[in-house]
């Protein structure tokens, strides 16, 4: 998952019981297949090269048991840690806030929801029978990644889609290859968590 060609699209599979999605690049080529193990108390995410699941490229695992501020570590196929993403506990109740930490355990980027009201309306209408299936066309939250100086780096935005299953990651400025990979892994974990929140 190096030298990614942005934008990257995440498309969730709504026909399976697993929480899984495929990531494709600007040319439509699959760059990752992300699968979350179901019924686990600790998050356990496998990121394969493609849907065939023959080659495992990354793992994401929670650092702690159920905890409001749990961090999720990314490791490559050899077990080397590449960084982690941490949810900002109580600060994320109203508006999602995360921190992206590098492989040396240094804070590198902030991720925040751009407009909390979008998610509120999306969740409220999502509870209404029949209408809830179409909220993916009405309310589309977005999340911005900023560096420590406040400069916008990437944006993840939910796209209008049936069941709200499509997302797009766009790059807003030049960043190095390692950071591209770390940010993409972080956004993969974040969107699994945020979709579960509603």
């Amino acid at each position: 998952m190096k030298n990614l060609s942005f934008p990257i699209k995440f498309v969730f599979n709504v026909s399976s019981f697993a929480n899984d999605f495929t990531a494709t690049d600007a040319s439509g080529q699959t760059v990752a297949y992300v699968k979350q193990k179901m019924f686990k108390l600790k998050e356990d995410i496998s990121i394969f090269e493609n849907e065939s699941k023959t080659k495992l490229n990354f793992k994401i695992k929670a650092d702690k048991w159920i905890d409001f501020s749990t961090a999720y570590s990314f490791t490559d196929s050899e077990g080397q840690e590449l960084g982690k993403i941490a949810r900002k506990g109580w600060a994320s109740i109203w508006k999602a806030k995360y921190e992206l930490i590098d492989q040396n355990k240094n804070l590198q980027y902030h991720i925040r929801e751009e407009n909390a009201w979008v998610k509120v309306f999306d969740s409220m209408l999502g509870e209404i029978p029949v209408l809830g299936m179409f909220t993916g066309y009405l309310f589309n939250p977005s999340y911005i990644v900023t560096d420590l100086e406040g400069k916008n780096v990437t944006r993840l935005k939910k796209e209008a889609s049936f069941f709200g299953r499509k997302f797009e990651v766009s790059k807003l400025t030049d960043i190095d290859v390692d950071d591209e990979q770390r940010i993409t892994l972080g956004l993969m974990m974040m969107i699994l968590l945020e979709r579960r929140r509603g």
Side-chain angles (χ1 to χ4, degrees), residues 5-22:
S5 177
F6 288 82
I8 305 295
K9 292 188 180 291
F10 299 164
V11 180
F12 279 82
N13 184 359
V14 294
S15 62
S16 73
F17 290 108
N19 198 12
D20 61 336
F21 66 88
T22 302

Side-chain angles (χ1 to χ4, degrees), residues 64-78:
K64 300 177 183 176
W65 287 86
I66 298 172
D67 182 323
F68 215 46
S69 297
T70 301
Y72 303 88
S73 298
F74 326 128
T75 54
D76 63 17
S77 58
E78 296 174 358

Side-chain angles (χ1 to χ4, degrees), residues 105-118:
K105 300 186 174 18
N106 296 317
L107 174 62
Q108 192 175 24
Y109 295 103
H110 298 284
I111 307 172
R112 61 178 170 78
E113 192 171 356
E114 293 194 274
N115 184 346
W117 284 108
V118 173

